[in-house]
Amino acid sequence: MSPVLTLYRNAVLCAQQQDWDLATAALDAAYNAAPPAELSLEDCRTLKRHSDDLALVGQHLPCLTPTIQLFSRFLSISA
């Protein structure tokens, strides 16, 4: 797993354990290290499998823009 995906995956794992503070911190770190616009197509395909968890955590961040961008990327690979 790439370092980029590891950051996003940490947010997912924390969400699955319902550790919301750590999950939001991990997702924020992932967005800062690798913004959704910079993710590869393969990274997006991998992350899309965890879209429910990412959406749940993303809504707790102070800024929804990165989460909206991530889900826009998900939609673009579905089209």
Side-chain angles (χ1 to χ4, degrees):
M1 183 176 294
S2 75
V4 168
L5 285 182
T6 300
L7 291 170
Y8 281 90
R9 183 75 175 129
N10 286 342
V12 169
L13 291 173
C14 291
Q16 290 170 345
Q17 296 170 353
Q18 297 184 358
D19 187 341
W20 305 117
D21 291 336
L22 198 52
T24 53
L27 188 57
D28 187 50
Y31 284 158
N32 287 315
E38 296 176 11
L39 294 173
S40 71
L41 185 60
E42 191 59 38
D43 288 342
C44 287
R45 284 187 181 126
T46 300
L47 291 173
K48 188 175 178 192
R49 292 183 288 219
H50 305 288
S51 61
D52 289 346
D53 292 314
L54 291 167
L56 187 60
V57 176
Q59 69 183 335
H60 294 285
L61 293 173
C63 179
L64 295 176
T65 302
T67 302
I68 292 168
Q69 291 171 343
L70 181 61
F71 278 77
S72 292
R73 293 286 313 273
F74 293 165
L75 290 172
S76 71
I77 62 174
S78 296

